[in-house]
Amino acid sequence: MSGPAFPDVLVDTAWVESHRRDDDVRLIEVDEDVLLYVQGHVPGAVQLDWHTELQRPDVRDFVDAETFAALMESKGVSNDTTVVLYGDKSNWWAAYAFWFLKYNGHGDVRLMDGGRQKWLAEGRPVTPEVPRPPRGRYRVPYRDASIRAFAADVLPHLLRVKDGAGALVDVRSPAEFRGEKLHMPEYPQEGALRGGHVPGAVNVPWGRAVAEDGTFRPVDELRELYAGLGITEDKDVVTYCRIAERSSHTWFVLRYLLGYPRVRNYDGSWTEWGNMVGVPIEQGG
């Protein structure tokens, strides 16, 4: 049985239990439901609020490098800190934060396999106490443009998909992919004017990559899943969903578990593509 292409990026709950007190390790919880943290979290973990801390309120984009560096310092993170992320929804938003930390050039970032769900299922300790770690020292060394796709990148990518040199992975639900749902019922703020998918995209819902306990499926199963749908490591791959949290999860699978060398996350995703003038869509299966 094969292991992850980058084995250090995925740690289990036992590893976290053993290392959560290490001075050079910072645990960060990133949940879709930000209220979960105050109900109880892994002792020593700080919270990252994706609603307010990663994005600028005045434009639809991420915080700049200077703001991100200050954010990391406030969480007790320095450039040489091992950051371990976890959260709810089988690590949806933890994977999103992982992608963004890698976009900002952070070296040692890891996910706790199974996230919050598995930690609680195993009866491991939680606390409502909010830690106050020493302030870190942080500088963004570079921003890795190779892992982020914009709409202007996706348009020419459609030709690579048509020629067989590229792949587009739509990780949303089949109903969203077909255009039957303009948004998920619980997320009306994420709607688009048009339903459907980017032409040439293959629908592989993000949840097919995880087991019932929230952990990632074995690498051999994952490789068979994506390769069987024409998503192979020799291609230039772009993932997307609705606002990029689910596609970050699949991006992590393809890039770090399977080792695909060229995988980008289109963070504008369907809320941008489905609302833009002059771009093509497809509907149906």
Side-chain angles (χ1 to χ4, degrees):
M1 181 179 293
S2 302
F6 296 86
D8 290 344
V9 301
L10 196 62
V11 297
D12 59 21
T13 51
W15 187 97
V16 173
E17 180 65 67
S18 297
H19 293 275
R20 61 185 175 85
R21 298 179 183 86
D22 294 359
D23 291 339
D24 58 348
V25 172
R26 181 68 57 229
L27 302 180
I28 302 181
E29 181 166 328
V30 195
D31 297 315
E32 177 195 50
D33 181 357
V34 296
L35 297 179
L36 291 176
Y37 177 83
V38 299
Q39 297 173 19
H41 50 268
V42 178
V46 297
Q47 182 182 31
L48 179 63
D49 187 336
W50 65 272
H51 290 275
T52 61
E53 294 185 307
L54 295 185
Q55 300 179 13
R56 291 175 55 185
D58 55 336
V59 296
R60 190 191 170 190
D61 203 353
F62 296 110
V63 296
D64 60 23
E66 182 178 351
T67 304
F68 179 77
L71 174 65
M72 290 295 98
E73 291 181 346
S74 73
K75 305 296 182 185
V77 175
S78 298
N79 287 91
D80 59 353
T81 300
T82 296
V83 175
V84 180
L85 299 156
Y86 75 94
D88 62 353
K89 297 281 187 178
S90 300
N91 281 331
W92 268 14
W93 288 102
Y96 181 78
F98 182 105
W99 173 75
F100 194 55
L101 261 73
K102 284 300 184 183
Y103 178 65
N104 282 280
H106 194 84
D108 193 351
V109 193
R110 311 182 188 193
L111 283 184
M112 182 176 78
D113 199 14
R116 181 183 173 91
Q117 171 187 344
K118 188 166 176 57
W119 185 271
L120 294 177
E122 294 174 344
R124 296 186 184 274
V126 295
T127 179
E129 182 179 348
V130 178
R132 296 287 183 266
R135 190 173 184 85
R137 298 185 64 182
Y138 205 90
R139 178 185 62 83
V140 174
Y142 61 90
R143 285 196 139 171
D144 188 357
S146 72
I147 66 172
R148 186 182 185 187
F150 294 91
D153 301 313
V154 177
L155 277 168
H157 187 70
L158 301 185
L159 294 177
R160 289 192 288 274
V161 173
K162 187 175 181 180
D163 293 339
L168 267 170
V169 187
D170 185 319
V171 313
R172 299 174 299 161
S173 67
E176 293 172 273
F177 180 81
R178 292 191 296 264
E180 297 164 5
K181 287 186 177 180
L182 293 178
H183 61 79
M184 291 183 287
E186 60 271 37
Y187 305 105
Q189 74 278 12
E190 297 177 14
L193 293 173
R194 301 182 298 168
H197 54 270
V198 180
V202 178
N203 186 211
V204 191
W206 75 275
R208 296 185 66 182
V210 296
E212 289 187 6
D213 65 355
T215 59
F216 290 101
R217 293 192 179 279
V219 166
D220 291 338
E221 289 185 21
L222 294 171
R223 193 175 302 280
E224 182 178 0
L225 167 65
Y226 292 102
L229 294 169
I231 305 160
T232 50
E233 62 184 333
D234 60 314
K235 294 180 179 179
D236 182 1
V237 182
V238 174
T239 64
Y240 76 93
C241 59
R242 187 169 296 276
I243 59 171
E245 85 291 5
R246 291 175 285 176
S247 57
S248 296
H249 191 276
T250 299
W251 171 86
F252 176 83
V253 170
L254 294 173
R255 180 69 188 93
Y256 283 94
L257 300 188
L258 299 185
Y260 286 22
R262 299 183 305 280
V263 189
R264 291 177 288 171
N265 188 26
Y266 171 33
D267 60 279
S269 281
W270 195 255
T271 54
E272 178 178 47
W273 195 271
N275 284 315
M276 282 199 304
V277 174
V279 298
I281 67 168
E282 289 180 345
Q283 294 180 329

